[in-house]
Amino acid sequence: MKVLQIIDTLEVGGAERVFVDMCNILYENNRDVSALILLKDKGELAGQLKVPILPFSRKSKWSVVSMYNCSKILKQFDIIHCHSKHVFRYIWLVNILSGVKKNIILQDHSSFKTVGKQLLLFKYLLKPQHYIGVSEEINQHAVKKIGLSIKSVYLLENIILRTNVKQTRTITDFVLVSNIKSSKNNLFALEVVKSFSKKSIRIIGHVQGQSYYEKLRAFSEKNKLSTNFVTNSQEVQSILKNSKVGLHTSPSETGPLVLIEYLAQGLPFLAYETGEVAKILKPHFPEYFIDNFKVAEWKERLDLIMNSTPNTPKMERVFEQYFGEEQYFEKLENIYACIKT
């Protein structure tokens, strides 16, 4: 069985990280898998792929030459695994125009929450035969909003590959792993740090909103916070060991992957309760989740966490139980087997 994994680019992000890890897990388990990256700029994470990256560069969405070249690639594979709706739209169009009949999967990293042109397009024209969601919420929206059969919908929660790293002497009190933009609520993390006396924070993520980034820097300077911005790192886990507590302040997520990274490194954290990972972890670590954005309540909870010894053996067990490579590979193999039959 030959599998083709498709994405538009591998700039640093949650879906992109999942793509790389999925490809590499399949490769490590001796599966015949290749990667197709649609855009000319392959992205920073492309260098971490162990699988072959097929030569392709889409000139534009409507380039007939690009579509023809893409169709020739699709014909070589048994399963076409598309990551994100916009990638699936393009591959669906290539498939229709070229007459290639393949098992095409849409793996969705965001939900069909709102009614709009995109929802109507998927409901009446682009309805996928096979759909993978990274959370139950995403899958429920797909069934309810675009009318997918529950038999064609699969759940595959996100994971990350654990990196073994050593702690250095440079320790930061808090770490926030999040791309920098207003929707991620980074400013709230700084407000929490401000409520403490002489605490430091490291924010790891790409700048996706320059004006918001400047706002964060100005807030830090005005309030004399010890803030370190790391905006170009691909090796997040190696930095986590040098922190005492992780934070997660985004109000809306499907994952979030960062909580698995905290867990992988045995790092206690406090996170706003959102996403599939939070749903999995909260029964095991209820003290690590909070359902509001009140600075005083975050500070109170963080004081408790910082004055407690983390149960790292339990964190390791839970990580392996839900986010280990073996379980992930088995789930993916079962999905492919259902699609092939």
Side-chain angles (χ1 to χ4, degrees):
M1 179 174 63
K2 297 183 67 177
V3 178
L4 181 63
Q5 301 278 344
I6 309 179
I7 200 166
D8 54 347
T9 183
L10 286 175
E11 292 295 342
V12 177
E16 293 78 10
R17 179 75 264 166
V18 169
F19 181 93
V20 171
D21 289 346
M22 180 181 291
C23 287
N24 290 345
I25 287 171
L26 288 170
Y27 173 84
E28 294 290 350
N29 284 275
N30 301 311
R31 294 302 181 262
D32 190 344
V33 57
S34 299
L36 179 64
I37 305 175
L38 298 179
L39 303 184
K40 183 178 181 181
D41 182 5
K42 303 305 180 189
E44 294 179 42
L45 296 181
Q48 297 182 16
L49 279 171
K50 298 178 181 179
V51 306
I53 300 176
L54 301 182
F56 180 80
S57 178
R58 188 175 68 183
K59 295 179 179 179
S60 75
K61 290 181 181 179
W62 310 112
S63 167
V64 176
V65 173
S66 294
M67 288 185 182
Y68 174 71
N69 291 334
C70 185
S71 70
K72 290 198 297 183
I73 293 172
L74 299 184
K75 290 177 182 177
Q76 303 171 35
F77 294 86
D78 302 303
I79 286 183
I80 313 298
H81 192 146
C82 301
H83 291 256
S84 299
K85 299 180 184 73
H86 55 284
V87 172
F88 177 82
R89 283 200 305 263
Y90 180 75
I91 297 302
W92 180 91
L93 182 61
V94 170
N95 187 54
I96 291 296
L97 294 180
S98 65
V100 179
K101 293 185 178 179
K102 292 291 179 178
N103 289 303
I104 301 177
I105 303 168
L106 165 58
Q107 178 160 348
D108 211 352
H109 299 269
S110 61
S111 182
F112 286 100
K113 282 187 176 180
T114 57
V115 176
K117 292 181 180 179
Q118 179 171 254
L119 190 151
L120 295 175
L121 191 63
F122 274 86
K123 184 172 184 177
Y124 295 109
L125 183 61
L126 302 181
K127 187 176 293 185
Q129 288 181 297
H130 311 288
Y131 182 93
I132 297 175
V134 298
S135 73
E136 287 287 3
E137 180 187 17
I138 285 179
N139 285 356
Q140 288 171 11
H141 278 290
V143 171
K144 293 177 182 177
K145 297 287 186 179
I146 64 173
L148 292 182
S149 166
I150 195 68
K151 294 180 180 179
S152 65
V153 174
Y154 306 91
L155 176 64
L156 186 66
E157 300 95 337
N158 289 334
I159 67 159
I160 59 102
L161 302 184
R162 178 161 47 194
T163 303
N164 294 320
V165 295
K166 294 182 179 180
Q167 190 178 68
T168 67
R169 294 181 180 179
T170 306
I171 302 297
T172 303
D173 292 303
F174 301 114
V175 61
L176 172 71
V177 179
S178 168
N179 285 330
I180 298 170
K181 55 183 177 180
S182 59
S183 63
K184 296 295 184 179
N185 203 21
N186 312 113
L187 183 59
F188 179 76
L190 295 183
E191 291 172 345
V192 170
V193 175
K194 179 188 171 185
S195 70
F196 288 90
S197 175
K198 297 182 179 179
K199 294 294 185 185
S200 55
I201 183 171
R202 181 177 286 120
I203 298 179
I204 308 171
H206 280 225
V207 177
Q208 296 182 337
Q210 187 62 38
S211 62
Y212 190 70
Y213 175 53
E214 297 301 332
K215 183 178 181 180
L216 298 181
R217 291 175 61 87
F219 183 91
S220 294
E221 292 174 10
K222 179 182 177 181
N223 294 282
K224 298 180 180 180
L225 302 182
S226 177
T227 307
N228 174 225
F229 292 95
V230 182
T231 60
N232 58 355
S233 176
Q234 297 180 29
E235 300 299 330
V236 171
Q237 290 185 63
S238 63
I239 303 176
L240 295 183
K241 274 289 188 183
N242 306 326
S243 305
K244 295 179 181 177
V245 180
L247 300 176
H248 179 68
T249 58
S250 176
S252 179
E253 294 286 343
T254 55
L257 282 178
V258 61
L259 300 188
I260 311 176
E261 290 177 313
Y262 292 159
L263 191 70
Q265 295 304 322
L267 183 70
F269 60 85
L270 183 58
Y272 180 68
E273 189 179 332
T274 179
E276 189 71 16
V277 175
K279 187 186 300 182
I280 292 170
L281 293 183
K282 186 179 178 181
H284 300 279
F285 305 99
E287 68 276 19
Y288 290 171
F289 295 92
I290 193 166
D291 63 358
N292 64 66
F293 287 109
K294 298 177 181 178
V295 171
E297 294 191 23
W298 278 66
K299 183 181 184 303
E300 182 180 4
R301 183 73 65 82
L302 285 167
D303 278 328
L304 290 173
I305 291 172
M306 288 186 290
N307 289 312
S308 303
T309 302
N311 190 339
T312 48
K314 181 180 179 181
M315 295 177 84
E316 184 173 345
R317 290 196 304 272
V318 172
F319 177 87
E320 290 299 332
Q321 180 181 352
Y322 294 103
F323 309 111
E325 293 180 43
E326 184 177 340
Q327 292 90 334
Y328 190 80
F329 173 70
E330 288 178 358
K331 288 180 182 179
L332 187 55
E333 280 282 276
N334 288 336
I335 291 171
Y336 287 164
C338 291
I339 289 171
K340 275 286 290 177
T341 54

